[in-house]
Amino acid sequence: MKTSLISLAAFTGALAIVGSAFAFSPENVECIAPADPGGGWDFTCRQVGKLMYDLKMVPSPVKVTNMSGGGGGVAYSYVISKRGEDKDLLVAASTATTTRLAQNQFAGLTADKVRWVAALGADYGVIVVAKDSPFKTLKDMMDTLKADPGKVAFSGGSAVGGWDHLKVLLLAKAAGVDNVRSIKYLAFSGGGGAITQLLGGHTQAMTGDVTEIQGQLAAGNLRVLAILSEERLPTEPDMPTAKEQGYDVIGANWRGFYVPKGIDDDAFEGWGAMMEKLYASEEWKTAMKNNGLAPFWRGGKAMDEFVTNQIKQINDLSKEVGLIK
């Protein structure tokens, strides 16, 4: 497996600050988080929405609506069918979104049914266990999987075959696990539900992203066996990488937004300009640092091209590990 295929967002794009204003001013902004409260999409809506209001980019607080179901598919279909021309609507998205599009899991809907406005950071994947887990290292867990692929049940915030699931399969392949498709994976609508199942003893491990575990990690309820980054993050120096433990797997999840396809170019470019301004702000840099996000920017046409390329990469990867034909 080439690292380039799985390092789908582990690099930083050049940032060109937009100097001109667009003839667009949002009014009553709503951000849809396509999952239950507590996960990465919820974080994206709430944190970005708060900063947009604090920085006076929008005239009133951003309304956050949680719309779980189908790994983001319910929200995707709703936006296309019901809100296709709503200039005041943002929808949180990530690598989990493009993964499901790559695997045709949104009821035949494709990426060109919306407009991809921006990505504002990358969230590295983690493998975590409860604080009292018998697994002390990633090697302990991988050795158990090699002996019996069905011995460890993982919970995750994406659907079966989604990005959280893929991270486990990639690690197992790197560890030499036979029949990785026998590994147990329980899908939930967002990282919050996946953590609840782990803490309740219903699974032995959770696969998610750094931003999803911050609260429970700070409370001492979780232990991180591995973070799927090239190197230890300066903000999380105690998290060992999978790579340093002998498993060359990188998994980064971009965080950003799409908007309805039917909005005009002024609105689309206006959203892009606001996102770019927010990304350059000290407030967003602090938020990224405090929540384990790595710098990553794509906007406008560059974001559309990035999404198209990522969908192709994930489609190829999914075929390689046998998830789709």
Side-chain angles (χ1 to χ4, degrees), residues 109-134:
L109 298 175
T110 53
D112 60 357
K113 299 298 183 182
V114 299
R115 302 185 79 170
W116 302 87
V117 65
L120 300 104
D123 194 0
Y124 283 103
V126 288
I127 302 296
V128 301
V129 294
K131 63 180 180 181
D132 56 354
S133 170

Side-chain angles (χ1 to χ4, degrees), residues 47 51 55 57 276-290:
Q47 187 66 63
L51 288 182
L55 296 172
M57 296 181 183
E276 208 164 15
K277 182 178 179 181
L278 184 142
Y279 181 80
S281 71
E282 291 302 318
E283 290 83 353
W284 178 245
K285 292 175 183 177
T286 298
M288 286 198 295
K289 180 179 179 180
N290 290 342

Side-chain angles (χ1 to χ4, degrees), residues 32-37 41 65-76 188-190:
I32 293 178
D36 295 329
W41 287 329
T65 300
N66 291 94
M67 187 178 294
S68 64
V74 170
Y76 200 79
F188 297 90
S189 293

Side-chain angles (χ1 to χ4, degrees), residues 263-299:
I263 70 173
D264 58 38
D265 287 343
D266 276 346
F268 179 68
E269 292 168 356
W271 276 122
M274 281 186 281
M275 291 295 173
E276 208 164 15
K277 182 178 179 181
L278 184 142
Y279 181 80
S281 71
E282 291 302 318
E283 290 83 353
W284 178 245
K285 292 175 183 177
T286 298
M288 286 198 295
K289 180 179 179 180
N290 290 342
N291 291 280
L293 282 178
F296 179 77
W297 167 258
R298 289 292 184 276

Side-chain angles (χ1 to χ4, degrees), residues 71-130:
V74 170
Y76 200 79
S77 177
Y78 167 76
V79 171
I80 293 169
S81 62
K82 304 294 186 182
R83 306 281 290 276
E85 298 181 355
D86 192 339
K87 298 180 182 180
D88 285 345
L89 183 64
L90 292 169
V91 190
S94 64
T95 303
T97 313
T98 47
T99 296
R100 289 185 64 78
L101 286 166
Q103 296 170 345
N104 194 29
Q105 295 186 36
F106 280 178
L109 298 175
T110 53
D112 60 357
K113 299 298 183 182
V114 299
R115 302 185 79 170
W116 302 87
V117 65
L120 300 104
D123 194 0
Y124 283 103
V126 288
I127 302 296
V128 301
V129 294

Side-chain angles (χ1 to χ4, degrees), residues 6 14 23 37 52-53 70 75 80 83 113 118 130 150 168-169 183 202 209 226 247 262 281 291 301 318:
I6 56 180
M52 289 179 70
Y53 180 63
I80 293 169
R83 306 281 290 276
K113 299 298 183 182
V168 174
L169 299 184
I183 294 173
H202 304 292
D209 296 312
Y247 308 97
S281 71
N291 291 280
K301 291 181 179 179
S318 299

Side-chain angles (χ1 to χ4, degrees), residues 176-318:
V177 176
D178 294 328
N179 193 15
V180 297
R181 297 182 70 179
S182 296
I183 294 173
K184 295 178 181 177
Y185 175 80
L186 283 71
F188 297 90
S189 293
I195 292 172
T196 298
Q197 294 300 308
L198 171 62
L199 296 179
H202 304 292
T203 61
Q204 290 76 55
M206 180 261 186
T207 165
D209 296 312
V210 172
T211 57
E212 295 176 317
I213 66 168
Q214 293 296 320
Q216 293 293 345
L217 187 65
N221 296 325
L222 299 175
R223 284 192 291 109
V224 177
L225 295 187
I227 181 169
L228 306 183
S229 54
E230 287 277 4
E231 300 175 343
R232 294 197 185 201
L233 300 184
T235 54
E236 303 290 352
D238 294 332
M239 291 185 186
T241 68
K243 191 171 183 178
E244 74 186 59
Q245 298 177 76
Y247 308 97
D248 191 8
V249 175
I250 310 299
N253 184 9
W254 60 266
R255 297 287 179 186
F257 299 94
Y258 63 83
V259 293
K261 186 177 180 66
I263 70 173
D264 58 38
D265 287 343
D266 276 346
F268 179 68
E269 292 168 356
W271 276 122
M274 281 186 281
M275 291 295 173
E276 208 164 15
K277 182 178 179 181
L278 184 142
Y279 181 80
S281 71
E282 291 302 318
E283 290 83 353
W284 178 245
K285 292 175 183 177
T286 298
M288 286 198 295
K289 180 179 179 180
N290 290 342
N291 291 280
L293 282 178
F296 179 77
W297 167 258
R298 289 292 184 276
K301 291 181 179 179
M303 181 62 179
D304 267 326
E305 293 173 1
F306 171 73
V307 166
T308 298
N309 291 335
Q310 189 177 66
I311 286 173
K312 182 181 185 305
Q313 290 177 311
I314 295 174
N315 181 269
D316 292 343
L317 176 62
S318 299

